[in-house]
């Protein structure tokens, strides 16, 4: 007997968020590294600083997105409303 409203444990929700965050971090750091390598080879005579800078930018964007995902109150324009103050449809 399956019910239409299945409950999901909080550890599963946090696990999914963590997995999504980890995947996002890997992608953004990889893109930053790739952009740094291309910029280093084409523009900066194979210097190392463009690679480190763009990898750091990718990691920073990933950390910021993970922070917003785990703590939605930090998203600008988001308001947290208590459940007893939500108007009920009539």
């Amino acid at each position: 007997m399956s019910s239409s409203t299945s409950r999901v444990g909080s550890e599963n929700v946090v696990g999914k968020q963590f997995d999504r965050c980890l995947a996002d971090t890997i992608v953004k750091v990889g893109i930053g590294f790739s952009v740094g390598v291309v910029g280093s080879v084409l523009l900066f005579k194979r210097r190392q600083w463009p690679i480190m800078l763009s990898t750091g930018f990718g990691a920073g964007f990933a950390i910021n997105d993970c922070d917003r995902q785990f703590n939605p109150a930090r998203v600008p324009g988001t308001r947290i409303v208590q459940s007893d103050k939500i108007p009920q449809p009539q």
Side-chain angles (χ1 to χ4, degrees), residues 13-86:
V13 172
V14 172
K16 286 181 182 180
Q17 286 179 341
F18 182 75
D19 290 345
R20 202 173 313 133
C21 181
L22 185 63
D24 188 41
T25 301
I26 291 170
V27 168
K28 288 187 179 178
V29 168
I31 289 173
F33 181 79
S34 301
V35 168
V37 167
V38 170
S40 175
V41 169
L42 295 179
L43 301 174
F44 299 108
K45 299 180 186 175
R46 298 187 186 197
R47 305 276 185 202
Q48 191 176 12
W49 67 267
I51 299 170
M52 293 187 299
L53 182 69
S54 60
T55 303
F57 281 157
F61 282 121
I63 290 170
N64 191 21
D65 287 345
C66 289
D67 186 38
R68 287 182 179 174
Q69 189 173 10
F70 281 109
N71 189 2
R74 291 192 183 182
V75 177
T78 302
R79 190 174 60 160
I80 306 299
V81 180
Q82 295 177 357
S83 62
D84 58 342
K85 294 185 180 181
I86 297 175

